[in-house]
């Protein structure tokens, strides 16, 4: 698939490399593409990246994502699956920019004709593309209102190494709040472990 990734940070680069290795056509989107020619990946401006994409990934800072997407324009985004992996945090990491909602919901509300799926925001970028590097299975969550969009996202997650058994659909886009608000627990766990390369696993009660 043609995958456009908005952003050129660690998350966007990790996902681009992961999907490129799986055979997808990836393009990174930057507000200053001429300054980002050292990434070893193709880079274009935001509008060109969005136009190129069959699937668009928001990997921009969550406090500016909606504004950035508006600069691209609703008409360009209409009908394009948007996978949102962003979380809006203050500069000191003590507050969420969407404390009573979620970035995923805000994007879906702003672009009702663009199916939004929230995923991958509960882990470090190193784990997003290498779940098998962990000492056991773990869980990746999906939130969104469009069933087909979630199925496509699930296939793309599988290409990163997340089998269906590791994917958990937790419901509509409002459940993105839980994924994003997990950021504080993530930071606490990282502090306790002294490392960021970890993930959580949902373990259900044994049948019977």
């Amino acid at each position: 698939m043609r995958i456009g990734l908005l952003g050129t940070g660690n998350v966007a680069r990790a996902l681009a490399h992961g999907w490129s290795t799986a055979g997808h056509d990836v393009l990174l989107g930057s507000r200053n593409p001429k300054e980002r020619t050292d990434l070893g990946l193709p880079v274009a401006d935001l509008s060109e990246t969005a136009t190129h994409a069959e699937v668009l990934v928001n990997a921009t800072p969550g406090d500016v994502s909606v504004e950035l997407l508006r600069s691209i324009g609703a008409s360009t985004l209409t009908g394009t699956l948007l996978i949102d992996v962003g979380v809006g945090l203050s500069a000191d990491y003590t507050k969420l920019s969407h404390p009573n909602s979620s970035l995923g919901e805000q994007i879906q509300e702003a672009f009702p004709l663009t199916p939004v799926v929230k995923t991958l925001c509960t882990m470090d970028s190193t784990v997003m593309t290498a779940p098998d590097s962990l000492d056991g299975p773990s869980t990746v969550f999906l939130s969104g209102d469009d069933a087909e969009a979630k199925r496509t996202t699930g296939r793309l997650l599988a290409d990163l190494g997340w089998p269906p058994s590791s994917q958990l659909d937790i419901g509509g886009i409002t459940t993105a709040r839980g994924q994003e608000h997990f950021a504080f627990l993530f930071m606490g766990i990282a502090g306790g472990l002294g490392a960021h390369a970890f993930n959580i696993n949902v373990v259900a009660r044994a049948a019977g």
Side-chain angles (χ1 to χ4, degrees), residues 2-208:
R2 298 189 309 277
I3 303 175
L5 299 104
L6 302 177
T8 57
N10 291 338
V11 170
R13 296 199 307 272
L15 292 174
H17 279 297
W19 279 318
S20 177
T21 299
H24 295 285
D25 175 3
V26 301
L27 182 63
L28 292 173
S30 170
R31 282 177 283 197
N32 301 294
K34 293 181 179 179
E35 298 176 9
R36 306 297 289 164
T37 59
D38 58 338
L39 303 179
L41 292 160
V43 184
D45 65 33
L46 300 175
S47 294
E48 182 180 347
T49 300
T51 301
H52 168 85
E54 295 174 273
V55 175
L56 196 61
V57 179
N58 175 50
T60 63
D63 57 344
V64 299
S65 295
V66 173
E67 178 186 353
L68 183 147
L69 289 165
R70 284 197 173 115
S71 74
I72 294 171
S75 60
T76 300
L77 301 176
T78 295
T80 299
L81 164 58
L82 192 147
I83 298 174
D84 175 36
V85 301
V87 177
L89 288 166
S90 60
D92 61 0
Y93 298 103
T94 62
K95 296 178 182 179
L96 288 166
S97 57
H98 307 88
N100 300 310
S101 180
S102 66
L103 174 59
E105 288 174 89
Q106 296 295 313
I107 294 173
Q108 188 62 90
E109 182 179 2
F111 304 95
L113 300 180
T114 300
V116 177
V117 178
K118 189 82 186 190
T119 192
L120 288 171
C121 70
T122 55
M123 64 194 76
D124 185 71
S125 61
T126 58
V127 176
M128 292 178 184
T129 59
D132 58 355
S133 67
L134 301 177
D135 188 19
S138 61
T139 305
V140 61
F141 304 99
L142 297 93
S143 302
D145 296 333
D146 187 293
E148 181 57 34
K150 284 196 278 192
R151 282 191 288 270
T152 300
T153 301
R155 291 193 293 270
L156 291 174
L157 289 173
D159 288 340
L160 295 177
W162 297 96
S165 59
S166 292
Q167 301 177 24
L168 185 59
D169 182 345
I170 59 174
I173 195 63
T174 56
T175 65
R177 298 181 191 187
Q179 293 198 54
E180 295 183 25
H181 290 210
F182 179 77
F184 294 120
L185 182 55
F186 176 91
M187 288 185 283
I189 295 171
L193 289 176
H196 291 85
F198 65 89
N199 196 27
I200 60 170
N201 189 32
V202 175
V203 182
R205 185 174 183 178

